[in-house]
């Protein structure tokens, strides 16, 4: 900020010798001291005012953007429950600026805490892991119910009531908001590319924040219906066997296992939210190629015995079910009764496979198992081939043939982020072409 110097300061700078010649040392020095003190007081006041203005303007510009979304009937990602941004307007007479700043600090601290990889140390037995879990229980933010979590159901209802959705999608994000990257952004972009009238709710504590809003802002400004909501686990699991499982876990009576607990919590949340509301659950490492609004009560096979034409493993990365579907309840019960945090996939893909296999052919539960080409055209062991370009004529023909096959039989491609996150998308590869088109 440029401050126009006073005539006194100009005179003092241009004629420094004059004051020395006059020898009016005492009176001139006193006058100059008073003038400089007055100048610095004014300058300090202006500087302080500027700082407060910038803080206020940032806050109100953010709030204005939220009001703009409401005017345009776009979704409010933060809604009225986001205390960290709306408390300033709700509490005019209770130190609004300091409260807002403190809540922003709390939000940053909360997100930082979520960055910790809370996994029990290796080589511990069951009793030692439970003891470790009890000591670190306060660090597992996902298990706590804050003010946002308590408003979970009301916020979802308000979101769906305000928007006409051709399909209700759910995703989960239990990692820090700072780790939400281009790959995840791409997945959301592909969703709205094929279904622009869909509604997307991301169940996430870390994205239900100012930083999370900024991540989703590009979609909101284009009129897409997306929001992040802090999940309320007790509400989601209420009335199922998962309710008692969660109670014992929060009391430190369950062995969390060696697998990161948030991965297993995500496996359970997707089942519970579909059971409560119905719709489509989609992992956040998918590229959608076709609309899913024509599908109902479906689960995808990850692998199949081509000789017997029977699936050998199902996967829970895509689930499409009506509200209160009995198969979802069986999945939830299986999770609570057979939970094992030491075996990867036991509470996820292997769980849905176990339950459906036990049902047999005559189950009467009204659901369809889609072939692997629907959602898993490349197994996790072969996904690398989709990222590589064709270096020979034969390989180039394979890329073209694969793209042609995907255009006919596939609804979406699971990228298997755990295996492919470090792979470079080579120009001319299957993934590069899909990204370009979708």
């Amino acid at each position: 900020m440029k401050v126009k110097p006073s005539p006194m300061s100009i005179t003092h700078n241009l004629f420094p010798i004059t004051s020395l010649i006059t020898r009016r040392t005492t009176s001139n020095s006193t006058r100059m001291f008073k003038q400089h003190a007055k100048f610095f007081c004014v300058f300090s006041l202006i500087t302080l005012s500027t700082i407060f203005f910038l803080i206020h303007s940032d806050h109100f510009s953010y709030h204005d953007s939220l009001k703009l979304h409401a005017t345009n009937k776009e979704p409010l990602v933060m809604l009225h429950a986001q205390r960290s941004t709306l408390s300033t307007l709700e509490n005019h007479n209770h130190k609004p600026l300091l409260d807002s700043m403190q809540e922003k600090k709390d939000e940053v601290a909360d997100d930082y805490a979520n960055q910790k990889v809370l996994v029990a140390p290796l080589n511990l037995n069951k009793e030692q892991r439970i003891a470790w879990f009890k000591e670190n229980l306060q660090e597992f933010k996902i298990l706590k119910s804050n003010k946002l979590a308590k408003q979970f159901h009301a916020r979802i209802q308000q979101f769906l009531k305000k928007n006409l959705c051709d399909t209700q999608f759910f995703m989960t994000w239990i990692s820090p908001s700072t780790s939400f990257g281009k790959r995840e952004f791409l997945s959301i972009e592909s969703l709205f590319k094929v279904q622009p009238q869909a509604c997307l709710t991301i169940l996430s504590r870390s994205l239900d924040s100012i930083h999370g809003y900024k991540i989703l802002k590009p979609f909101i400004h284009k009129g897409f219906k997306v929001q992040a909501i802090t999940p309320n686990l007790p509400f989601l699991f209420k009335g199922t066997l998962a309710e008692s499982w969660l109670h014992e876990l929060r009391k430190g009576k369950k062995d969390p296992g060696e697998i990161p607990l948030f991965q297993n919590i995500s496996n359970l949340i997707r089942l519970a939210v579909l059971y409560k509301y119905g719709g489509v659950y989609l992992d956040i490492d998918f590229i959608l190629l076709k609309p899913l609004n024509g599908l109902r009560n479906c689960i995808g096979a990850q692998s199949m015995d081509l000789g017997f034409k029977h699936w050998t493993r199902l996967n829970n990365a895509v689930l499409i079910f009506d509200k209160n579907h009995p198969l979802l309840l069986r999945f939830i019960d299986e999770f609570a009764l057979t939970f094992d945090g030491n075996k990867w996939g036991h509470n996820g893909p292997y769980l849905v496979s176990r339950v459906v296999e036990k049902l047999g052919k005559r189950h009467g539960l009204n659901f369809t198992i889609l072939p692997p080409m629907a959602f898993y055209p490349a197994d996790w062991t072969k996904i690398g081939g989709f990222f590589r370009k064709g270096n020979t004529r034969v390989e180039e023909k394979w890329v073209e043939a694969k793209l042609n096959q995907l255009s006919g039989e596939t609804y979406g491609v699971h990228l298997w982020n755990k295996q492919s996150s470090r792979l470079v998308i080579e120009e001319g590869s299957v993934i590069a072409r899909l990204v370009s088109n979708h």
Side-chain angles (χ1 to χ4, degrees):
M1 178 182 66
K2 295 183 179 179
V3 179
K4 184 177 180 180
S6 65
M8 178 278 297
S9 62
I10 295 176
T11 304
H12 177 66
N13 290 332
L14 292 178
F15 307 104
I17 302 176
T18 305
S19 61
L20 297 175
I21 295 176
T22 58
R23 297 296 182 181
R24 298 175 182 176
T25 307
T26 304
S27 61
N28 285 350
S29 297
T30 302
R31 189 183 302 111
M32 290 175 62
F33 175 79
K34 291 181 178 180
Q35 290 174 330
H36 277 287
K38 183 178 180 181
F39 172 79
F40 283 115
C41 286
V42 173
F43 180 79
S44 299
L45 181 60
I46 293 174
T47 302
L48 185 61
S49 300
T50 302
I51 293 173
F52 273 82
F53 172 77
L54 290 174
I55 294 174
H56 273 293
S57 63
D58 178 68
H59 169 79
F60 286 115
S61 63
Y62 173 78
H63 182 71
D64 288 342
S65 69
L66 289 181
K67 291 199 297 184
L68 177 61
H69 302 325
T71 303
N72 294 333
K73 296 183 179 180
E74 295 180 8
L76 294 181
V77 171
M78 308 305 286
L79 294 171
H80 297 292
Q82 182 50 274
R83 306 294 301 176
S84 61
T85 56
L86 299 185
S87 60
T88 303
L89 296 179
E90 294 173 350
N91 301 291
H92 286 294
N93 300 321
H94 297 86
K95 299 180 291 182
L97 179 61
L98 295 178
D99 289 345
S100 179
M101 293 174 67
Q102 181 60 46
E103 287 178 353
K104 287 182 181 181
K105 288 181 181 179
D106 292 342
E107 176 190 306
V108 172
D110 187 53
D111 195 49
Y112 176 77
N114 281 326
Q115 293 186 43
K116 299 177 182 178
V117 180
L118 295 170
V119 183
L122 297 176
N123 302 320
L124 298 183
N125 59 34
K126 180 179 178 179
E127 290 71 23
Q128 290 172 329
R129 272 195 306 271
I130 292 177
W132 170 87
F133 184 64
K134 286 182 178 180
E135 292 177 2
N136 293 273
L137 192 57
Q138 294 301 315
E139 300 297 327
F140 286 83
K141 303 294 183 180
I142 187 64
L143 299 180
K144 296 182 179 180
S145 293
N146 59 11
K147 292 180 180 178
L148 291 176
K150 292 176 181 178
Q151 298 183 43
F152 169 77
H153 180 59
R155 295 175 69 188
I156 283 193
Q157 284 189 318
Q158 185 177 358
F159 179 61
L160 297 178
K161 185 178 180 180
K162 285 186 175 181
N163 300 289
L164 296 176
C165 315
D166 65 2
T167 305
Q168 169 62 51
F169 282 86
F170 292 98
M171 293 179 174
T172 60
W173 183 258
I174 306 183
S175 301
S177 62
T178 50
S179 62
F180 194 96
K182 295 179 180 178
R183 185 75 67 88
E184 291 75 29
F185 197 88
L186 171 65
S187 181
I188 297 176
E189 190 174 16
S190 72
L191 188 160
F192 287 122
K193 174 80 171 181
V194 297
Q195 287 194 236
Q197 298 304 316
C199 291
L200 171 62
T201 298
I202 304 175
L203 304 178
S204 172
R205 186 185 181 106
S206 61
L207 288 180
D208 193 2
S209 62
I210 294 175
H211 184 250
Y213 170 79
K214 291 178 179 178
I215 291 173
L216 300 176
K217 191 175 180 180
F219 296 109
I220 296 170
H221 277 191
K222 290 182 179 180
F224 296 119
K225 299 178 280 288
V226 56
Q227 68 167 353
I229 297 184
T230 301
N232 185 339
L233 301 190
F235 171 80
L236 283 172
F237 303 160
K238 188 175 182 179
T240 71
L241 294 182
E243 183 178 11
S244 58
W245 176 85
L246 177 66
H247 178 74
E248 292 186 10
L249 182 71
R250 295 170 83 172
K251 291 292 184 181
K253 297 180 180 179
K254 282 283 185 183
D255 177 12
E258 297 178 350
I259 306 297
L261 182 61
F262 71 88
Q263 292 184 11
N264 286 317
I265 291 290
S266 174
N267 284 326
L268 183 55
I269 287 176
R270 69 189 66 181
L271 301 174
V273 75
L274 288 185
Y275 188 67
K276 286 283 186 183
Y277 301 102
V280 179
Y281 170 80
L282 192 68
D283 265 3
I284 207 161
D285 57 349
F286 258 91
I287 297 179
L288 275 190
L289 309 182
K290 292 179 181 178
L292 303 184
N293 51 4
L295 299 178
R296 187 177 176 187
N297 298 323
C298 300
I299 187 170
Q302 177 183 327
S303 58
M304 180 171 280
D305 186 324
L306 297 178
F308 292 95
K309 295 183 179 181
H310 180 72
W311 62 269
T312 55
R313 183 181 300 170
L314 306 180
N315 199 291
N316 64 337
V318 182
L319 298 167
I320 306 170
F321 283 97
D322 294 340
K323 177 181 177 181
N324 295 329
H325 196 283
L327 182 60
L328 292 173
L329 185 59
R330 297 204 183 198
F331 289 155
I332 295 171
D333 291 348
E334 178 75 8
F335 184 101
L337 293 172
T338 68
F339 176 79
D340 189 340
N342 297 307
K343 299 177 182 178
W344 188 92
H346 176 83
N347 311 297
Y350 296 147
L351 181 150
V352 294
S353 299
R354 287 197 309 272
V355 171
V356 173
E357 188 173 17
K358 290 177 185 177
L359 291 175
K361 294 182 178 181
R362 297 182 179 181
H363 46 70
L365 294 185
N366 184 30
F367 68 93
T368 303
I369 299 175
L370 298 177
M373 278 303 298
F375 298 112
Y376 312 102
D379 193 70
W380 64 271
T381 60
K382 300 178 180 179
I383 190 63
F386 276 40
F387 285 76
R388 291 189 292 270
K389 66 178 181 180
N391 292 316
T392 66
R393 183 58 182 165
V394 173
E395 291 175 349
E396 289 176 354
K397 287 184 176 181
W398 179 86
V399 169
E400 294 297 331
K402 182 58 65 176
L403 288 169
N404 184 57
Q405 184 185 32
L406 295 176
S407 66
E409 305 175 37
T410 304
Y411 287 95
V413 178
H414 192 201
L415 299 182
W416 306 99
N417 261 0
K418 188 174 181 180
Q419 285 72 33
S420 69
S421 59
R422 295 187 180 183
L423 296 179
V424 176
I425 302 176
E426 298 181 5
E427 186 176 357
S429 65
V430 172
I431 296 298
R433 296 277 292 276
L434 293 178
V435 168
S436 176
N437 294 333
H438 299 278

